[in-house]
Amino acid sequence: MSQFEQKTGNEYDAVIVGAGFAGLYMLHCMRKLGLSARVYEAGDGVGGTWYWNRYPGARCDVESMEYSYQFSEDLEQEWEWTERYAGQPEILAYLNHVADRFDLRKDIEFNRRVTAAVFDDTANRWEVRIGGDVVSAAFCIMATGCLSSTNMPDFNGIERFDGDTYHTGNWPHEGVDFAGKRVGLIGTGSSGIQATPVIAEQAGHLTVFQRTPNFSVPAHNKPMDPSYQEQIKSDYRDFRKRLKDLPIACMRPPGEKSALEATPEERAIEYEEHWQRGGLSFLGAFSDLITNQASNETAAEFVRAKIREIVKDPQVAEMLCPDHVIGCKRPCSDTGYFEAFNRSNVTLVDVGKSPIKSFSSTGLDTVDDSYELDCAIFATGFDAMTGALEQIEICGKGGIRLKDKWASGPTTYLGLTTVGFPNLFTITGPGSPSVLANMVTGVEHHAEWISECIRYVRLGGFERIEPTVEAEAAWVRHVNEVADETLYPTCNSWYMGANIPGKPRVFLPYIGGFPTYLKKCEEIVAKGYEGFILN
Ligand code: N01
């Protein structure tokens, strides 16, 4: 029996939640299978992450030629990227182009936030609630994104603040004019690091409130070299194949040698070359930067020396030097971040040492000082990987809530499915490479895996598919084992859920490498969906 009052009577083969990279391609795949699918999207346009994150300076840190769909050769050939790293407006334009080119909009409902999804154990269908409406689908596919549920810390007295407030993950579409304003920016992750230099150029004064300094490597962004674009396009299949064989499905092959096998001079040359090339492949300079603390320290010290070289005031430079393992918080790539602190209109405040006490009507007070502000920007990140899923009331067999099942941390089989929730799929869910690999490649792989799985279910005359308890437990064990071989668990990062008070401390993505993961997924299919119950 339905627990919802049926208002629309709409029935689909699949409901897809979200119209970002994942939801758009999932819809395309469902259509190719000849199935009916409906996408529900909370925003008023496509784009997901690239729809919401419109803060000044928002830009991808995977190169444009790598950060794009590969399912359509025509699309690959016709789209022209204009910069080495695409900015948010260009990626959003690309996704709008995809939506139009493949005529996807007619099956997408915008401004429609999914609030609940309940499995009907008798009918083997999901009842999905969107506001007051309910639709029914055999399969429910969560394309809700890994970094889409914003984290707004509970700052004391924030309601008293008379100035404007903004979150980088939910930026006003019309933009913000900071000219002449006293701007406060809280948070120095990728978003804060990208926004700082751009806002510094506009604002009267910018105060950056930093709790933990972060490592960042220059992006060295530049206009796209047409001959490079041409060269990739003439070899796109092989180029994509080579990338898929890399641990993170993008960038350059990592070094084969331990940092400790190199002499200090060799290390300096290698790090300098990576620094000059720019971008996140810096961490691939040697083979063991993320597994060996002593090796890691050589890279960390190189970056700290660069910060000391760039930032003129030695005290400010020291405040900007991180003391954690490089890479265990998501590394950042910037355009003029450290340089921004040489400007006379930029101040750095260490709220790690002197925490934010409260907001007042005119600004904010730390334990030691008061700051007058016209507006405050929260670059405070996301409830990563699980936040968007847990915001939806998802109930599986016997009414079990996903939120309750995951109370001590998410448990999945392949990051795609979870016991107790038949016919529910999570694209780039926890326990999959997701945020540790090229997101577009990960999304495409998952959408194709899911559509192949649905085809198998339908062709076999089955009505539902669900992982076994044993398969899920073994996968969760494996995900934890590979994480424990790295330095990742050593610091407070959103990878560990450590940025959200009360969130269980578990390493959320799978770090076994994209090729290993692909192989595992293929083997499971080849063995007739090993680890799944079909009935
Ligand atoms: O968020 P974050 P983000 N008081 O969680 C601070 C992707 N992304 O939006 O480190 C004071 O990294 C917090 O401090 P601490 C990318 O995967 C990609 O920047 O917890 N400060 C931290 O400095 C990225 O990793 C791109 O001590 C508080 C900051 O807020 C992910 O999104 C661009 C605080 C949050 O940093 C998230 O990045 C942008 C408090 N109460 C984002 N609470 C590109 O492709 C939190 N902080 C380039």
Side-chain angles (χ1 to χ4, degrees), residues 36-73:
S36 63
R38 199 80 178 154
V39 178
Y40 294 96
E41 165 56 54
D44 69 4
V46 301
T49 285
W50 302 104
Y51 169 92
W52 297 103
N53 287 266
R54 299 173 188 238
Y55 60 85
R59 182 176 297 287
C60 189
D61 53 19
V62 174
E63 293 196 25
S64 305
M65 297 309 291
E66 305 177 15
Y67 193 81
S68 55
Y69 288 119
Q70 48 192 294
F71 69 87
S72 160
E73 286 192 36

Side-chain angles (χ1 to χ4, degrees), residues 49-50 53 55 57-62 67 147 151-155 167-169 186-194 209-214 280 324 329-333 351-352 356 378-382 384 435 492-495 498-499:
T49 285
W50 302 104
N53 287 266
Y55 60 85
R59 182 176 297 287
C60 189
D61 53 19
V62 174
Y67 193 81
L147 294 156
N151 169 38
M152 183 58 202
D154 190 13
F155 287 110
H167 194 290
T168 47
I186 300 169
T188 51
S190 297
S191 306
I193 280 179
Q194 287 188 330
F209 297 93
Q210 168 193 276
R211 189 165 67 180
T212 313
N214 229 325
L280 299 181
H324 53 262
K329 269 176 181 290
R330 163 69 152 75
C332 307
S333 176
V351 292
I356 296 170
F378 300 96
T380 44
F382 303 89
V435 292
N492 290 326
S493 66
W494 59 256
Y495 292 137
N499 63 329

Side-chain angles (χ1 to χ4, degrees), residues 357-519:
K357 216 168 54 180
S358 63
F359 273 80
S360 64
S361 59
T362 56
L364 73 75
D365 300 327
T366 64
V367 168
D368 296 308
D369 258 311
S370 291
Y371 299 86
E372 298 279 301
L373 302 173
D374 298 314
C375 49
I377 299 169
F378 300 96
T380 44
F382 303 89
D383 184 353
M385 311 271 322
T386 53
L389 291 167
E390 292 184 353
Q391 265 181 7
I392 302 171
E393 181 78 359
I394 302 176
C395 296
K397 286 191 314 199
I400 179 179
R401 293 162 78 220
L402 187 71
K403 212 175 165 158
D404 292 337
K405 184 190 166 189
W406 286 4
S408 315
T411 49
T412 69
Y413 186 35
L414 303 173
L416 273 161
T417 57
T418 187
V419 172
F421 298 79
N423 296 359
L424 177 81
F425 297 98
T426 48
I427 300 186
T428 60
S432 73
S434 55
V435 292
L436 293 177
N438 183 333
M439 281 302 292
V440 187
T441 313
V443 150
E444 272 185 301
H445 167 247
H446 269 187
E448 285 164 13
W449 193 95
I450 292 166
S451 58
E452 189 49 36
C453 175
I454 290 177
R455 201 174 71 90
Y456 185 85
V457 170
R458 284 282 163 94
L459 282 179
F462 302 111
E463 290 200 17
R464 59 201 246 180
I465 181 163
E466 181 189 350
T468 66
V469 173
E470 296 74 26
E472 178 169 290
W475 182 250
V476 170
R477 249 192 332 272
H478 175 60
V479 169
N480 289 327
E481 274 163 15
V482 287
D484 288 343
E485 287 165 13
T486 71
L487 300 169
Y488 278 103
T490 64
C491 73
N492 290 326
S493 66
W494 59 256
Y495 292 137
M496 296 292 298
N499 63 329
I500 304 293
K503 190 165 173 170
R505 219 184 147 102
V506 199
F507 191 70
L508 295 164
Y510 174 61
I511 192 163
F514 195 74
T516 312
Y517 179 78
L518 273 191
K519 196 159 161 262

